[in-house]
Amino acid sequence: MRRHLIKKLCLVFGPRFPRIWLILCPVSVVVLIVLSSSSSTSFDSATLTVKPDIYANYRRLKDQAVSDYLDLTSLSLGVTKLKEIKLCGREKEHYVPCYNVSANLLTGFKYGEEFDRHCEVSKGEPYCLVRPPKDYKTPLSWPVGRDVIWNENVKITKDQFLSSGSMTKRLMLMEENQISFRSDDGVKDYSHQVAEMIGLRNDVEFYQAGVRMVLDVGCGFGSFGAHLLSLKLMTVCMAAYELTGSQVQISLERGLPAIIGNFNSRQLPFPYLSYDMVHCAECGILWDDKDGLLLIEADRILKPGGYFVLHGSSLSTKKGSMASPIEEFARKICWTFIAQQEETFIWQKTVDPQCYLSSIQGMIPPCREEREDIPSYYQPLASCVGGTTSKRWAPIQNRSSRIQQDEFYEDFESSLSALRNYWSLLTPLIFSDHPKRPGDEDPLPPYNMIRNVMDMNARYGGLNAAFLEEGKAVWVMNVVPIRARNTLPIIFDQGFAGVLHDWCEPFPTYPRTYDMLHANGLLSYLISERCSVTNLLLEMDRILRPEGWVVLSDDVGSIEKARSVATQIRWEARVIDLENGSDQRILVCQKPFVRR
């Protein structure tokens, strides 16, 4: 009888059993065991139903039963178990893709372009997971973490610290295992001075005077930006990529908004009319270089009536005799020189777009055929003035007309409401209370280390608005994909930080700089663009700090692909059903602190 049965099976499958049957047989037994015990468990489907009371104290994703069940579901769907992705070498602990000066020079980039971002040069590099430094420590909670960081978390040496300027050494204290940032009256005095120079009584009046969005170019280690943030001004630090002692890396480690970028050969990934003030204090940029193209780019992102603040010892301190090329070119782009005190100079952009149509010889003409729905993403620097025909052209002193009704804005309220409702499901999951960590001094909510948040498909900035409404002490980098609708102008007009980005490429930031990554609909969008979901999650892993969170919302197929990759990179993952009959699912993941 037994031999007869084997002969029948051999007739069907051949002399050898397919390997899949060797897997499915034990799997079937386990499935029967799980199903038989379903009455005594709370898991009766492949996805979970969100119930805030169940997850009120949820901290780590340790539910092995659900993980096993989802693995079985994957096998039944034909998803093969992939090998885990290996760790990168120690030399890549602070790795930032797309910034390889040597490779750029060999490719032929020169005249400063070799320092720009060139992702096409580094394509095809093998997969690996960027590991943290050996003595990496979880950052302290905000606001303590703003003033104290672990020196092993960033790449700066004591020699670099000692060779920095006197201002930096006065504001920083480098101890055995941590760096402290002192509250310095000099920063407050400087901020007060800038306010007085533009006609205000003190810097507390910045906000009411229309200065709410500030781009701090070459920000040092963020002390000026930290002070402006305390005044409710959204201040974004922007500095060029640095191999060590990075201004952007240290600012982000402190919980301050920052991004890698520089005025060099291409336009910045911001829309026209983005900032109320562009500030440069000893930022190292030669503004009169390249026939004034760098000043034209500063004008492009500066709002009407906005201020360009320049501070540095390289400028003449004799009144009326500052570097003449800058002053001469400022007049050509309709900037008015309004004040000078010692080494600080301030210009104000015109509020009249007709100024650029002047027949005065040498005036820089306005650009033709501007379209705000087409983002200018790393385009060559323009030799014309942009934004003059924009519907968003309005003086910063007139805030009431800043957000105009247009084809995007009519969907804003419904999008915001949907995001708030959806986020209310996750708030008990993410922002659960737990005891303070050693060294914390009564941190403000949230208590679980979330400060730097990125919304990878920000749409209208609804997630950012929802965080504000909930009173969370976070800031959000709102990212708008370049081939999606360009809603970034609306995000900026709400006073939120944001940037354009191509998610088929790495993001311009250092490893371990964000505490939470959120994306709604990004996976299916990238799949439609034929971009790699694996590459995306590897990049998310690079920029996410250990124990950081990932929240992805998308259709079932996209979420299943992402969950498969999450297993490869050893994230703890859970799929959640929205409980509304939708085919949308939420994937919540946490990056482990230690990964071997």
Side-chain angles (χ1 to χ4, degrees):
M1 175 67 75
R2 184 177 177 183
R3 296 178 58 86
H4 180 68
L5 177 60
I6 293 175
K7 284 183 178 180
K8 284 189 175 182
L9 290 173
C10 290
L11 288 174
V12 177
F13 298 113
R16 294 186 179 181
F17 287 103
R19 292 184 179 179
I20 187 63
W21 289 98
L22 296 176
I23 298 174
L24 288 180
C25 286
V27 163
S28 301
V29 174
V30 176
V31 169
L32 290 174
I33 294 172
V34 171
L35 291 176
S36 64
S37 61
S38 61
S39 60
S40 61
T41 66
S42 59
F43 311 113
D44 53 6
S45 65
T47 54
L48 301 179
T49 301
V50 176
K51 296 181 180 179
D53 56 320
I54 293 177
Y55 304 124
N57 295 315
Y58 180 74
R59 175 70 175 89
R60 299 294 305 272
L61 300 168
K62 291 294 187 183
D63 201 324
Q64 190 60 45
V66 177
S67 176
D68 291 344
Y69 190 85
L70 289 173
D71 285 343
L72 295 174
T73 305
S74 297
L75 285 170
S76 68
L77 292 173
V79 179
T80 57
K81 185 85 172 180
L82 301 176
K83 292 183 179 179
E84 292 181 341
I85 297 174
K86 67 178 183 179
L87 298 176
C88 302
R90 288 289 180 190
E91 72 280 0
K92 285 195 171 185
E93 289 176 351
H94 299 277
Y95 174 60
V96 180
C98 306
Y99 291 94
N100 188 328
V101 176
S102 300
N104 292 343
L105 285 170
L106 291 173
T107 307
F109 292 106
K110 53 186 178 180
Y111 305 122
E113 291 187 354
E114 66 271 22
F115 299 105
D116 279 337
R117 167 186 167 87
H118 295 287
C119 296
E120 67 277 11
V121 175
S122 58
K123 277 187 176 179
E125 292 186 355
Y127 293 158
C128 65
L129 298 169
V130 175
R131 68 176 79 197
K134 181 180 178 181
D135 296 322
Y136 178 87
K137 296 182 177 64
T138 302
L140 299 173
S141 298
W142 179 270
V144 177
R146 175 193 57 204
D147 302 324
V148 180
I149 65 174
W150 306 110
N151 56 15
E152 291 296 332
N153 290 10
V154 296
K155 194 172 184 180
I156 183 172
T157 65
K158 188 161 288 187
D159 290 340
Q160 289 173 319
F161 170 74
L162 293 175
S163 63
S164 59
S166 58
M167 172 68 78
T168 299
K169 284 186 282 191
R170 191 171 75 241
L171 297 178
M172 291 174 58
L173 176 63
M174 194 167 189
E175 301 174 340
E176 182 179 354
N177 64 347
Q178 65 184 29
I179 302 173
S180 301
F181 298 86
R182 304 169 179 174
S183 178
D184 185 76
D185 290 337
V187 174
K188 296 177 183 177
D189 291 342
Y190 173 69
S191 176
H192 186 86
Q193 173 189 315
V194 171
E196 288 184 332
M197 291 174 69
I198 66 174
L200 307 178
R201 288 178 296 180
N202 54 58
D203 56 3
V204 177
E205 296 183 353
F206 272 140
Y207 193 88
Q208 292 302 320
V211 180
R212 302 181 185 180
M213 295 284 295
V214 178
L215 182 65
D216 192 8
V217 184
C219 58
F221 297 133
S223 295
F224 183 60
H227 174 67
L228 294 184
L229 279 173
S230 70
L231 301 176
K232 309 301 182 186
L233 276 60
M234 173 48 69
T235 307
V236 178
C237 162
M238 188 189 75
Y241 167 72
E242 298 164 289
L243 189 60
T244 60
S246 166
Q247 304 167 72
V248 170
Q249 185 185 35
I250 291 176
S251 294
L252 285 165
E253 188 70 17
R254 299 181 63 188
L256 306 174
I259 190 170
I260 299 173
N262 61 334
F263 285 85
N264 193 6
S265 63
R266 295 188 288 183
Q267 292 182 350
L268 300 172
F270 308 124
Y272 299 114
L273 318 178
S274 297
Y275 291 95
D276 306 310
M277 178 183 288
V278 174
H279 174 263
C280 161
E282 301 282 8
C283 63
I285 295 176
L286 301 175
W287 292 101
D288 56 340
D289 199 11
K290 300 181 182 290
D291 297 322
L293 291 181
L294 302 182
L295 285 174
I296 292 177
E297 175 62 7
D299 179 88
R300 185 185 71 84
I301 63 174
L302 197 59
K303 294 175 182 175
Y307 302 97
F308 181 75
V309 181
L310 196 57
H311 175 87
S313 57
S314 60
L315 300 174
S316 172
T317 58
K318 293 180 181 179
K319 192 168 185 179
S321 63
M322 86 272 310
S324 57
I326 297 179
E327 172 61 8
E328 179 183 347
F329 200 86
R331 286 194 292 267
K332 295 180 181 180
I333 54 177
C334 294
W335 287 6
T336 302
F337 177 65
I338 61 173
Q340 174 194 353
Q341 284 190 24
E342 299 177 346
E343 299 173 351
T344 303
F345 302 84
I346 300 181
W347 289 264
Q348 186 173 27
K349 179 175 177 174
T350 184
V351 298
D352 180 13
Q354 298 302 313
C355 177
Y356 300 102
L357 301 176
S358 172
S359 59
I360 299 175
Q361 186 176 6
M363 290 294 292
I364 305 300
C367 300
R368 297 179 180 179
E369 299 180 0
E370 296 176 354
R371 288 188 59 186
E372 286 191 87
D373 59 327
I374 300 178
S376 34
Y377 181 70
Y378 292 116
Q379 296 295 316
L381 292 174
S383 58
C384 55
V385 174
T388 59
T389 60
S390 171
K391 292 181 290 184
R392 298 171 53 246
W393 183 282
I396 65 171
Q397 296 80 8
N398 182 13
R399 308 299 297 197
S400 60
S401 61
R402 294 298 291 280
I403 299 181
Q404 303 291 332
Q405 294 288 333
D406 55 30
E407 59 181 335
F408 307 125
Y409 188 66
E410 56 189 45
D411 290 330
F412 173 69
E413 289 297 332
S414 60
S415 174
L416 178 61
S417 176
L419 267 174
R420 284 172 175 166
N421 291 336
Y422 143 66
W423 197 252
S424 68
L425 298 174
L426 295 175
T427 297
L429 182 69
I430 303 296
F431 293 108
S432 56
D433 293 345
H434 66 76
K436 294 185 295 182
R437 296 177 182 272
D440 290 356
E441 297 177 4
D442 298 323
L444 298 176
Y447 299 102
N448 61 346
M449 313 303 300
I450 293 179
R451 168 63 183 173
N452 301 351
V453 176
M454 180 184 290
D455 193 356
M456 302 171 67
N457 188 19
R459 306 190 186 209
Y460 301 98
L463 179 68
N464 200 151
F467 271 126
L468 288 178
E469 187 172 271
E470 292 294 321
K472 300 300 180 184
V474 305
W475 70 273
V476 179
M477 179 60 77
N478 296 279
V479 183
V480 175
I482 60 169
R483 285 176 286 273
R485 278 189 163 183
N486 185 17
T487 54
L488 197 54
I490 294 174
I491 290 171
F492 271 92
D493 284 346
Q494 295 178 82
F496 301 157
V499 67
L500 293 164
H501 184 63
D502 182 356
W503 280 117
C504 298
E505 300 176 348
F507 190 80
T509 192
Y510 292 84
R512 304 170 298 278
T513 46
Y514 283 88
D515 307 313
M516 176 187 288
L517 304 175
H518 169 267
N520 182 9
L522 181 63
L523 298 173
S524 54
Y525 166 78
L526 283 184
I527 292 171
S528 70
E529 294 289 330
R530 298 184 178 180
C531 296
S532 168
V533 172
T534 299
N535 285 352
L536 176 69
L537 266 70
L538 283 172
E539 175 62 5
M540 292 168 68
D541 184 88
R542 183 185 72 86
I543 67 179
L544 187 68
R545 70 163 174 82
E547 293 190 328
W549 294 88
V550 171
V551 181
L552 302 174
S553 175
D554 223 302
D555 60 63
V556 176
S558 300
I559 288 294
E560 181 56 32
K561 286 184 179 181
R563 194 191 64 80
S564 176
V565 179
T567 301
Q568 287 182 268
I569 58 181
R570 305 186 279 291
W571 285 355
E572 299 170 15
R574 171 170 288 182
V575 179
I576 300 175
D577 190 344
L578 287 178
E579 206 179 38
N580 58 3
S582 169
D583 64 347
Q584 296 289 107
R585 297 292 185 271
I586 300 174
L587 178 65
V588 182
C589 306
Q590 189 178 33
K591 179 179 176 178
F593 189 86
V594 178
R595 187 163 41 192
R596 303 185 187 281

